[in-house]
Amino acid sequence: MFGNSFYTDIGLQRTPVGHNDENWLDERLHNRSSRIVPVWRGHNLILGQETPQAIALTGNHARGLLQICGEKAFLGMDGDTAYFAIDLSEHELPVLSPALGQAKFVDLRRVVMMLEPHEAALLAYAKGAMYWHFNNHYCAACGSLADAKLGGRMRQCTNPDCAREHYPRSNPAVIMLVTRPGPDGGACLLGRHGGLPDGMYSTLAGFVEQGESLEQTVAREVMEESGITVTDITYRGSQPWPFPDSLMVGFRARASTVEIDLSNDELEDARWFTRAQIASFSEHGRRLPRADSIGFQLVDEWLKEG
Ligand SMILES: [Zn+2]
């Protein structure tokens, strides 16, 4: 089973005593020692390029941004220090620059491999929290405005006849490495859809449909995408994937058929690759999934078994 992967360990206590107390959360938000993690249009605040650092503001810089921010969300406690994400997307960058100093908003995926794992996880959580708020201004049940409550930990419908509470959700998706026995230590099934960068071959993946178990999703998605039937589906680990709001649940599965069928047009290519073929990927302009992804971990685990 995989240990901690990228984006999993924020190093904060998410539900301390007081996390359901509006007054306590408000006091924490405005406490000068609290740390503020700004998000701007899906980007995170980073200082430095060669050795980038995640920035969590405190003191006057944080106070200034709290005055002008949009949504806020309590993330958790590190000892006595509270962490909040705030959204600054409604402002243009020149307005924000005086409070940011040399720090810049960047796409987390550009810098994640150079960050400490807990920093990457914190930024991912902040980004995901702001994404959820951005997409949940209105009650899904009645369409009325839904206000953020409890330090941004939930939203509640403002229509008194409805008053439904909405909590942040992740969308579960499965991601799986399909293998088969054979010469040269067997092979694994990798594919590519049009959205992947040039040359990248990845594990197959797909969203869980209603009424489906995770294992059923694995079998269905592999069949739809490649025409392969699988068995022996085993859980390997999971990873929050805030691009934008998924929980990736990783599996290994064994193929019981060999012939690949792409006639569903879900993938532009899918092939069986031996370990030796993957080792020479770069010579053919191919590459594996991003190293911060559970897809890479699934392949890497199999490669090391050979
Ligand atoms: Zn409502």
Side-chain angles (χ1 to χ4, degrees), residues 138-146 156-159 161-164 166:
Y138 297 94
C139 174
C142 76
S144 302
L145 269 174
Q156 185 167 26
C157 177
T158 54
N159 172 2
D161 294 332
C162 175
R164 184 175 290 201
H166 301 276

Side-chain angles (χ1 to χ4, degrees), residues 199-210:
M200 183 183 285
Y201 277 78
S202 184
T203 43
L204 307 190
F207 284 106
V208 181
E209 294 189 354
Q210 287 170 329

